[in-house]
Structure formats: C-alpha cells, structure tokens
Amino acid sequence: MARRTLVLAALLVALAAATIASLALGAVKVPLADTLDILFGSGGSASDRQIIEVLRLPRTVEALIVGAALGVAGAVLQGALGNPLASPDVIGVTGGAGFGAILVIIAFPGSIALLPASALFFGLLAATLVFLFAWTGRNRGGTTKVILAGIAMLSLFTAGTTGLLAAFPERAPSAIFFIAGGLTSSGWRELETVWPYFAVGFLFALALVRPLDRLALGDDVAASLGSKPQAIRLGAGVAAALLAAASAAIAGLLGFLGLVVPHVVRMAGGTSSHTFVIPASAIGGAALLAAGDTLARTLRAPIEMPVGPFMVLLGVPLFLWLLRRAI
Amino acid sequence: MTAPMLEAHGVQVELGGTEILHGADLTLHEGELVAIVGPNGAGKSTLVRAVSGLLKPTAGTVRWSGRDLGSMRGRDLAKVRAFVPQRMPVPTGVTVREAVTIGRSAHLRPLSRLTRADRAGVEEAMDRAGVGRFAERTLTTLSGGELQRVQVAIGLAQEAPVLIADEPTSQLDLGATIGVATLLRELVDHGLTGLVVVHDLALAAAVADRVVVVAEGRTIAAGPPAEVLNAEQLAATWGVDARLSEQDGRTALHVAWLNRA
Amino acid sequence: MRKKSATLLLAALAVLALCLPAGAGAAEAPKRIVALTPFAANTLAKLNKVPVAIGETLGGNERFSPKLRNVRVLPLSHPNGPNLEQLAALDPDLVFSSKTWAKGNQAMEELGIDVVLHDPRSIAGALADTFKIGAIVGRRQYARGLVKSMRVQIAKARKGIAKRPKVMLILGVGRTPFTFLPNSWGGDIVAKAGGDLLTGGVTSNSGFERISDEVVVAENPDVIIAVPHANADDIPSLTDYLQDNPAWSSTNAARNGRIYVSVDNSLLQAGTDIARTIRKVRSAYLKN
C-alpha cells in the first residue's frame, strides 16, 4: 500500500511540474510573475495575455486531457482484453481517425473546420465495426477475435489513407503532421467540439474500475460475483474508443502513450489493481504529454517540433529501467 | 425434509452447436456436500455451470430456493451461490487479501467504499479457508494448493450459503488435495452447502454426503456414495472392474488396472 | 562562260561553308524535349521551343501557357514522376526535371536520357534558369533578350511601393501551417512585392518551417496569406476558418480582416509570369 501511495504522490508531483512548465515556458519569454498575474489577476500586456490565455492555457489543458485519456484508454483495454499489448490502436480507432482526418485535409480541404468531427466519426466507426465483427458469430467477444478484427480494420483504413495520399501527392505534406501527432495552439475551439466524448469516456472508465478487477480473476469468478464478462469487455471497448477517438480528433495519432503508460505505472506501483492503475495512468499520461509538448515547442523555439519523439525520449528510458527491475 | 436449495430438472445445454446435456437432474439440500462424478466428457462441468447460471440451458428448469434461475439477476445469484472455477488466471501484483476483497465486492454498490463489516467479512473468509497466514503474499507466489484455498476464500467472501467448486483438486498433489478436501468438508460441517465436481472416486466417496453420477449428458444415479458407487455402477459407467472400500477412516478404490479378463 | 561557272561554284561553296557551322550548331540543340516542371514547360513556350510532352502532377493545379495546349501530357506521381516506359517511348533528347522526382531522374539517366534539373526558389534564380534553359535549347540570344524584358517588367511591377506591411505567408491550412521563409519561392515574391516577411528569426534550408503561434502573436503581422492545397471554391470557407482562428485574433491581420487565401500555384511554384504575380500580390494582398 505504501508503495502505491508513493508512486501516486510522485506522479502528482510530475503532473504539477509539467503543468507549470507548460504554462510558464514557450517560444516567447513571459516572466513567471506576469504569467501568474495573467492567470489569476487581470494584468499583463495584450500580447502576453493573448499568448497565455489563448495559446498556452488551452494547449496545456488539452495536453492534460488527451494524455489522461490515452493513458486510461490503454489501461482499460489491457485490463479488459487481458493482453499487455492492447492499446487504442488495437480496436481500430487510430486507423479510422487517421483516415477521417486525411480525408478532409486531402479531399475536402475547404471543409477543414470539420476535421475534428471527421476524425471522431471515423474513429468511432472503425471501433464499432471491430466490435460488430468480434461480437457476432462464434466465440463472441473473445480477446483474440477483438484483436484480429482490430488489426484488420487498422489495415483497411491505413490502406484507405495511403490511397488518398497517393491520389493527391501534392497535398500529402499537409497530412504528415496529423499522422505524426501533436497539439496545436488554437484556443478552446477544438476542445469545445469534443469535450462530451471525453466526459462520457472518463465516466465509463471510472465505472469500470471494480468490474475490471473482477475480470482480472477470470470470467468465471467475475460471473460468480454477478458480472457479465462480455458486457465488461464491451464497456471497456466503448470507453477506450470514445477517449481515443476524441484524442485523435484534436491531437492526431499519438501511439506511444496508451500502450506504455499503464505498464510503467503497473511496474512502478507493483500492482495490477485497477483502483490504482487507472487513476495512475491518467495522471502519468497527462504529465508525460504535457512535458513532451512543452519540450517540443521550446527546445528549438520558435520552431515547433512533433511531440511524439519527445514522449518517447521521456518515457522509454523509464520503461526500460522498470522492466529490468521487474523481470 | 426441508425444501431443497437447488432443484434442477431436465436440463439441456448446447455448446458450439453440440448438445452436451440431454436432460440432467440435480437436487441440493441445505447442509449437504454433493459430489458430481462421471467419465470424461460426460457433462459434469457443464451441468454445474448451468445450474450456477454461468451457462444458459436450452431446456429444463433450475430453481434456487424456489426462484427460477432465469428470473434472477447477477447480483441476486451472487448472494445465493459462489462459483469456484478449476483454475483462475493469476494477475500479477495482486495480494491474497486484495483478491478476497474482490470476492467481497458482490456486496458493494458500484461506487461505494468498503465498510468495516466488509473488511471483517474478508478476514473471516480468509480464516475459514486457512489462508489468513499469507494474506499479504501476491498470488503469483502461491503453490497450487494455496491458490485453490484462496479461490475458496474468494468464494466464501461472497457469503453465499452454497459453494460450488468445479474440480478443485484435479490439478493438486496428494497433500494439497487432502488439504482442500478437508477444508470443504469442514466448511460443510459448519453450515455451508457444497456442490463439487470430483474426478477421484475414492475422494468423492470419502468426502461427500451424496454422489450424483453423470454420464453421456444425463444423470444416471444419485444417492449415498456406498450405494451409488457399487461395483455394477462402476462397471456400467466407467467400464472398470473396481470396488470401493472403507477401513479405519481411509477410503480406497480397488481397481483391476490391467484388463486380463 | 567558264569564269561565270567558277564564280557560281565559289559562291555555292561559300554559302555551303557558311551553312555548315550553322547546321552543325542546329544538330547540337536537342529536338525532342520533355518538360516535367511547369516552369520549364512555360519557359520553353516563351522561347518558342514547344516540348514534345509536359508533366502534370495528379491532382495538381499547374497553369500552362496557351502555347502548350496541344502538347501531350504525362501524368506525374511519386516517386518516379512520369511513367518511365511512356517517357522512353517518346525517345526524348532532353528532359527538364526537378529534385522532386529524384528517383525517376536517376532512372532516366540510366536509360541514357539527358536530365537537367531546375528548382528556382527565387526570382533571381528563375531569371538565371530562364537563360540557362534558352542556352541549352539553342535559343541563347533569344533567351538573353527575354530575360532582359522580364527584368524590366519586374522592375515596373515593383515601382512605387508605398507601404511595407508585415506579412505572414503560410503553407497549408488547419492544425500546423508551415511558414514561408525568404529562401522560398513565395517568400521571395512577397518580399520583392514589398512585404516584410514574418519569420521569427528562423532560417532553414528547405525554405519552410513550422513556427510557434506565440511568435506570430508577438510579431503581430498586418497581413496573413495562406497557400493551401485546395480549389478556388474553397476560398471563402478557408478564409472564414482562418479568420476565426482564436490564436491569431489579436493580430492586426485578424482584426482588420486582412487574411487571404491563395490557391493558384503562383506563390508555391516558380512561374514565368513573375511581374504579373508581383502585381497581384501587391494589389490583392499587400495593398501597397
């Protein structure tokens, strides 16, 4: 118990540090005092206010929400499918969202405002198709079936995406940054569109904490306790799909978080108990993305680099170090 | 004779397109330990899972204290019976106490916290199953016999009057088997009602109050072990030349292993 | 009589002698030319040396000179550019290509086809390349005159620049636009048209970089021009989208409604109607 509390405390400290760094640092130097004044008071120059209130604050909040969402999505899927390689990519969301976004960027550039909606729609569509295939026929909802259906759907949408890129090669560079994944400083505009999906996804995940612990003891014990194992798996899939699709809609395709963060917190905390893993994955994911995004936009300021490599830079050494100790 | 806790008649179950049970019957009275025996593939596990509500029968009736199984929701069933599978998956980093606490969750409303009564219930379940002394150990460090006891403890934490166990001793060595068998017998002696699927006929005879023989998807005999597991039944159902005998508190199955007839 | 025929013979020999070098020169100039870039194609059209085929990218928006209307079009796609079999079937003497089709260029060289690359990223570079192309195809004198007249027209187009507004020129819309730097084609055009290009102090070999919106806010551009990959009828909705971008709401450009979208390739790719492009940029976007 003490170890878990320690790990949670450490994660919260990391979260606080990353949040402060994300608000205080950027391409333009704004003194910390001014930043605090702008956030909590009413001071600061017009330009600085614009930077903190319209650019940095929403971006920081987005980083925290998306990081938490992807961490939770991965944790919930790994618990439900009982497979350590499970992540939001496995249920087809990432492939679908990528296709939806690139469809808009490349084939309907005039409708760019609909990009988040398109990514969200196709992400959820892909997940729905995966569940449909996995839940019909023999061995309904079996883990292998879900994973294989997810891979098939991923391949399908990836092929669609590649086809689009090949058909409009001139427009391909615009699509690259969505594929690489990353946050943008566009105020609250995108979050306003997708926040309900985050809310429902997080609520679902919260409700799944105890059921997932039961599922960890096997389908039979879960059934003995009055749960329906397949319903839990489906619920987990829905929660993960909502969280991952909403994340892709505003932050592109970020693959590393959902897979690795749950493992890191599991190894650090020494437990698979979902009452620990799910909140810890949320906090850890939020801290990692906020830190990675801050690095991506300050290291070579004013150039903005994609956030993926920085998350990997921060996360992989920790992951490997824990792996050595755990095994 | 008090009303039976469980009454199942003509249960038919289909799995993967094949009918496994063609009409099996089962009755369970309060305070008794019933062992279900039969050859491989007879449908023993299927019968026990069907009456537990883990499988849906295609025909037949199952009533728990008069209530039809189909009308009972998961939480209602959890208060009536606890199902202990043969082998549960062992998650890493989960301690015995945590696992038994999960067993207690049948009593908890979705987002409510554990009460003192719940914690006491967990301790009691662990004590009754004899696993209290390694409550802080993680499941992955337990032996087969210890893990089986923990599974029983998880079932006991549900505080249901009936404990159903599917082949709890089939994968254990002799010492561990005796441990689990003794545990089950003691629990029943102290008021629990038990239903176990058992592979070992001598064990069934020694431990159970009543034995039910299932063969080819049907119940073909039920009654006290000495009556049911006679030489004729053993020959007819298992095709063996064998007989049970009890002496000085030891039960043995004498088998003509080499068929020289 | 013999004197007359001798004179005739000498005259004929003299004419022959004069013709021969010219003939030899004409034999050196390539006859069957393929132009894979619009710049090369349009330059050849201006030089009155129509190629046997021109390249057009799939889904591209290139503008070609009317003189090229009846010229065969080779579709271009990654990574080779033209279909190499089709190209080889044309039996070209020379192919004008660009670095974009690096893989195809190598293949063409291996097939024994001469390949010359031009990727002008500045007006000066375009003028220099115009002359080079002229020299290669045997129109050196003509090219010299052409470049001279182009310089005059460009100077005319740049006359009387009253204001030098701060301009941010971005590639692509939505999410993460790239900024044109001075060493890009569009950047040079806008700079020569009198714009003070917003770069955040960044330099890059590629001529483009993704710069932070914080710097954009701090530098406060007067004009924002976006060059997306889109069609003309997308312009209104794209302009609205950019105008509504909260990130830039405090800039002069946003507040004065001076955000523009340009979908033709004039800022994206080197063209031959440079003076016209500068004039358009000045009147439509910079208003100087």
Side-chain angles (χ1 to χ4, degrees):
Chain A
M1 265 309 170
R3 181 166 165 183
R4 291 185 207 180
T5 323
L6 212 65
V7 172
L8 270 175
L11 286 171
L12 283 169
V13 167
L15 180 67
T19 308
I20 293 171
S22 181
L23 288 169
L25 301 174
V28 170
K29 284 200 178 17
V30 179
L32 188 57
D34 290 0
T35 307
L36 292 171
D37 199 16
I38 292 170
L39 286 172
F40 300 111
S42 54
S45 68
S47 163
D48 283 352
R49 262 212 307 282
Q50 174 85 354
I51 288 175
I52 301 292
E53 287 176 357
V54 178
L55 300 182
R56 278 193 211 164
L57 181 61
R59 185 157 174 161
T60 303
V61 169
E62 273 185 11
L64 296 176
I65 292 180
V66 169
L70 289 173
V72 168
V76 146
L77 279 176
Q78 284 168 8
L81 298 179
N83 189 311
L85 293 179
S87 73
D89 304 346
V90 154
I91 52 171
V93 171
T94 334
F99 174 78
I102 285 164
L103 185 67
V104 166
I105 292 175
I106 290 201
F108 304 99
S111 312
I112 189 79
L114 293 176
L115 191 151
S118 178
L120 190 62
F121 173 76
F122 279 98
L124 291 175
L125 177 69
T128 309
L129 288 173
V130 168
F131 297 147
L132 267 173
F133 285 126
W135 250 267
T136 53
R138 300 180 54 180
N139 196 17
R140 298 168 70 236
T143 304
T144 315
K145 237 182 157 182
V146 172
I147 292 182
L148 288 175
I151 292 177
M153 209 48 53
L154 180 68
S155 308
L156 191 71
F157 281 105
T158 305
T161 305
T162 312
L164 278 172
L165 291 172
F168 296 88
E170 296 261 285
R171 303 182 177 183
S174 306
I176 300 282
F177 263 92
F178 186 88
I179 296 177
L183 296 161
T184 58
S185 311
S186 39
W188 300 109
R189 179 161 63 173
E190 291 183 328
L191 205 53
E192 275 168 355
T193 327
V194 297
W195 74 265
Y197 299 90
F198 280 121
V200 174
F202 278 123
L203 282 172
F204 252 79
L206 196 64
L208 283 167
V209 167
R210 283 228 184 95
L212 283 173
D213 272 340
R214 292 187 196 170
L215 204 58
L217 297 180
D219 283 18
D220 288 338
V221 173
S224 173
L225 292 168
S227 296
K228 292 196 185 45
Q230 301 301 35
I232 299 176
R233 289 201 179 91
L234 188 60
V238 169
L242 288 170
L243 291 171
S247 296
I250 64 179
L253 309 181
L254 292 172
F256 179 75
L257 261 174
L259 178 60
V260 171
V261 167
H263 284 294
V264 168
V265 306
R266 243 182 249 119
M267 288 192 285
T271 175
S272 315
S273 165
H274 291 87
T275 37
F276 167 78
V277 171
I278 289 182
S281 298
I283 301 171
L288 185 62
L289 186 55
D293 182 58
T294 307
L295 283 175
R297 57 187 171 79
T298 53
L299 271 189
R300 273 184 72 200
I303 297 175
E304 287 215 4
M305 295 185 277
V307 74
F310 291 97
M311 285 201 301
V312 170
L313 210 67
L314 291 171
V316 163
L318 179 62
F319 176 70
L320 289 175
W321 179 68
L322 285 168
L323 202 63
R324 274 194 68 215
R325 294 185 61 208
I327 298 175
Chain B
M1 187 79 140
T2 51
M5 302 202 74
L6 169 66
E7 263 193 287
H9 290 300
V11 175
Q12 287 177 36
V13 175
E14 205 178 281
L15 281 180
T18 322
E19 198 176 64
I20 309 283
L21 287 180
H22 314 299
D25 305 319
L26 187 60
T27 346
L28 196 60
H29 295 268
E30 191 180 350
E32 68 174 346
L33 177 57
V34 171
I36 303 198
V37 298
N40 276 345
K44 311 187 291 292
S45 267
T46 311
L47 174 60
V48 140
R49 295 168 80 87
V51 303
S52 300
L54 267 59
L55 284 175
K56 208 167 150 74
T58 47
T61 58
V62 179
R63 279 190 228 284
W64 283 92
S65 298
R67 283 179 73 185
D68 183 48
L69 178 63
S71 72
M72 296 175 76
R73 291 172 57 229
R75 295 185 70 85
D76 303 328
L77 257 182
K79 295 210 169 79
V80 151
R81 63 89 186 96
F83 182 85
V84 178
Q86 182 171 17
R87 196 65 162 173
M88 73 175 194
V90 184
T92 51
V94 175
T95 63
V96 169
R97 176 170 280 116
E98 285 172 335
V100 178
T101 309
I102 293 172
R104 185 80 195 160
S105 71
H107 283 259
L108 294 171
R109 302 267 70 195
L111 284 171
S112 62
R113 314 199 54 194
L114 285 171
T115 62
R116 194 171 300 174
D118 292 320
R119 282 186 224 281
V122 168
E123 296 301 317
E124 194 190 320
M126 288 197 294
D127 285 335
R128 282 168 77 193
V131 299
R133 53 200 168 83
F134 43 85
E136 300 306 326
R137 278 175 53 191
T138 55
L139 297 176
T140 40
T141 62
L142 301 178
S143 70
E146 291 168 334
L147 191 61
Q148 195 63 245
R149 286 169 164 271
V150 170
Q151 289 187 220
V152 171
I154 295 171
L156 291 174
Q158 281 181 231
E159 279 190 23
V162 178
L163 188 80
I164 305 177
D166 186 0
E167 300 213 33
T169 57
S170 299
Q171 291 183 349
L172 304 180
D173 63 36
L174 199 52
T177 301
I178 292 172
V180 172
T182 316
L183 169 63
L184 291 173
R185 187 68 245 177
E186 275 174 5
L187 288 170
V188 171
D189 289 340
H190 283 95
L192 194 67
T193 306
L195 178 65
V196 259
V197 174
V198 180
H199 215 74
D200 187 325
L201 295 176
L203 177 64
V207 141
D209 299 313
R210 273 196 316 126
V211 162
V212 172
V213 180
V214 174
E216 288 177 356
R218 268 173 254 275
T219 26
I220 53 179
E227 273 178 40
V228 169
L229 296 176
N230 54 49
E232 290 77 35
Q233 187 66 262
L234 293 172
T237 309
W238 281 268
V240 300
D241 175 9
R243 65 179 172 78
L244 274 174
S245 71
E246 201 215 319
Q247 198 180 26
D248 303 328
R250 297 189 187 91
T251 314
L253 188 70
H254 300 269
V255 183
W257 291 106
L258 301 173
N259 227 334
R260 281 194 228 274
Chain C
M1 224 29 197
R2 249 193 244 150
K3 244 191 186 167
K4 244 193 186 170
S5 26
T7 323
L8 267 170
L9 197 58
L10 270 170
L13 278 167
V15 169
L16 210 60
L18 281 167
C19 283
L20 268 169
E28 277 171 17
K31 279 216 162 71
R32 300 182 62 74
I33 305 171
V34 173
L36 296 180
T37 65
F39 174 73
N42 289 330
T43 303
L44 287 171
K46 268 189 167 170
L47 292 167
N48 281 324
K49 196 87 174 164
V50 177
V52 299
I54 57 177
E56 190 173 33
T57 44
L58 286 176
N61 238 343
E62 289 96 333
R63 299 155 304 137
F64 289 106
S65 157
K67 288 187 198 167
L68 301 170
R69 200 172 311 156
N70 295 324
V71 175
R72 168 142 182 217
V73 172
L74 291 175
L76 304 174
S77 62
H78 285 276
N80 288 336
N83 179 299
L84 292 170
E85 289 175 16
Q86 281 184 335
L87 182 69
L90 287 169
D91 192 24
D93 299 319
L94 178 66
V95 173
F96 286 113
S97 179
S98 94
K99 285 202 279 278
T100 318
W101 317 116
K103 213 162 163 246
N105 297 340
Q106 195 183 14
M108 289 180 226
E109 298 264 5
E110 284 167 16
L111 285 172
I113 302 172
D114 278 335
V115 180
V116 175
L117 305 181
H118 293 117
D119 289 287
R121 289 201 295 177
S122 65
I123 296 173
L127 294 172
D129 284 348
T130 303
F131 178 74
K132 281 192 201 142
I133 292 176
I136 291 176
V137 301
R139 309 291 240 132
R140 181 182 293 254
Q141 282 295 93
Y142 192 92
R144 194 169 282 136
L146 176 63
V147 170
K148 203 165 166 193
S149 89
M150 283 171 84
R151 276 194 219 278
V152 166
Q153 286 180 328
I154 291 171
K156 246 202 248 174
R158 295 184 64 196
K159 262 178 81 166
I161 291 178
K163 292 177 278 185
R164 300 191 65 87
K166 194 162 226 174
V167 181
M168 178 167 76
L169 185 61
I170 53 177
L171 176 66
V173 185
R175 310 230 88 236
T176 54
F178 275 81
T179 309
F180 282 72
L181 299 175
N183 57 333
S184 64
W185 175 259
D188 195 39
I189 293 270
V190 166
K192 297 295 189 290
D196 177 14
L197 215 54
L198 187 159
T199 64
V202 163
T203 57
S204 159
N205 278 338
S206 65
F208 294 90
E209 211 40 279
R210 208 183 143 210
I211 64 171
S212 165
D213 281 323
E214 294 186 14
V215 163
V216 173
V217 165
E219 297 219 7
N220 196 1
D222 303 303
V223 175
I224 295 176
I225 308 171
V227 182
H229 295 293
N231 308 315
D233 26 353
D234 296 323
I235 293 182
S237 60
L238 288 173
T239 313
D240 283 341
Y241 180 77
L242 292 169
Q243 187 68 42
D244 289 338
N245 186 355
W248 302 333
S249 58
S250 68
T251 60
N252 291 340
R255 286 185 299 135
N256 298 329
R258 293 189 67 190
I259 299 185
Y260 308 104
V261 171
S262 161
V263 296
D264 63 38
N265 274 0
S266 57
L267 292 174
L268 209 51
Q269 272 186 335
T272 46
D273 50 354
I274 299 169
R276 172 145 52 112
T277 308
I278 292 178
R279 269 199 299 274
K280 172 164 182 223
V281 168
R282 282 185 67 185
S283 66
Y285 308 137
L286 303 186
K287 302 213 196 307
N288 58 355

